Amino acid sequence: MVAFLRLALRRVAMMPVMVLGIALLVFVVLQFSPTDPAYNALGESASPAARAAFAEANGLDDPLPVRYFAFLGDLLRGDLGVTMSPSQPVTDRIATAFPLTLQLTLLGLALAVVLALAFGVLSAVHRDRWPDQVFRVLSMAGIALPSFWIGVLLIQQFALNTPLFPTGGYVNPADSFSGWLESMTLPALSLALPVASSLARLIRTSMVTELDRDYVRTARGSGLPPFLIIRSVLRNALVTPLTVLGVKIGYMLSGAVVIEAIFDLPGMGKLILEGVNGGDVGLVQGTVLTIAIAFLVVNVVVDLLYLLVNPRIRTV
């Protein structure tokens, strides 16, 4: 337990440094955007003097290091600036949009894990037989197809040809849980299928390796029920897939931005598109930074889970 706490504190202590690095990268990249904040805020009819006054009032003429440290100070206070039109705090916009993106990511993750476990275990148990061959083909197709194309196919099949689900839009679960589930099923499946396909192959490979070990043969020779053997094998086989789970969750967070645009969901993807189309650098900056920090937090949590699942790494 002491070793686990020491490693956990080490992971957590690195988070502030990584957040500073992420903030620097996001800030510098967006500072080289050709967008003129004064032009977007004041409009085409604004005079050069008005634009110069706007730039001076908002510190746009300051050197880059000065602007970065001012941005960093605002970030530490939880202030990400205001949007241009209409003028609203960026944090308020993110507080409204991020829960939807989180809902979509978590629902997609749950579906991906369930599908990956089902396909991976069945493939390993029926190794080199027809179920394994079928699941291999399906998993390769799922990995090859991008999530946005899967979303288009799902809309075509299950919203237009067979109207089982809506083509887009969002229903708040507080208003109608069934309506929320209907509006989120196709987007979540679009995110889940590529991740499930990749994880299923990892689970299948890990389980096949474990099934060939001596302790499995001993358990079978002792007459243990197959269910208990599979459960024990699965517990050991999940160590490897768990190491890539954090990356997959990050992929789902970033993929949710595109999926939200396809299904017209008012999440972080809509905010990014709104900021890009409107030339609102502050909105894009705050949204991208929030997603990047969320990705960092998820990876730290997955690292801690990996330490719990795999005690051998605590000695490293």
Side-chain angles (χ1 to χ4, degrees), residues 144 215 274:
Y215 76 90
E274 179 183 329

Side-chain angles (χ1 to χ4, degrees), residues 146-157:
S147 58
F148 68 86
W149 180 244
I150 293 176
V152 173
L153 295 178
L154 291 176
I155 291 175
Q156 179 68 35
Q157 182 61 39

Side-chain angles (χ1 to χ4, degrees), residues 17 51 88 95 106 129 149 175 197 219 255:
V17 178
R51 294 178 186 175
Q88 294 177 329
L106 292 179
R129 286 178 280 179
W149 180 244
D175 299 330
S197 301

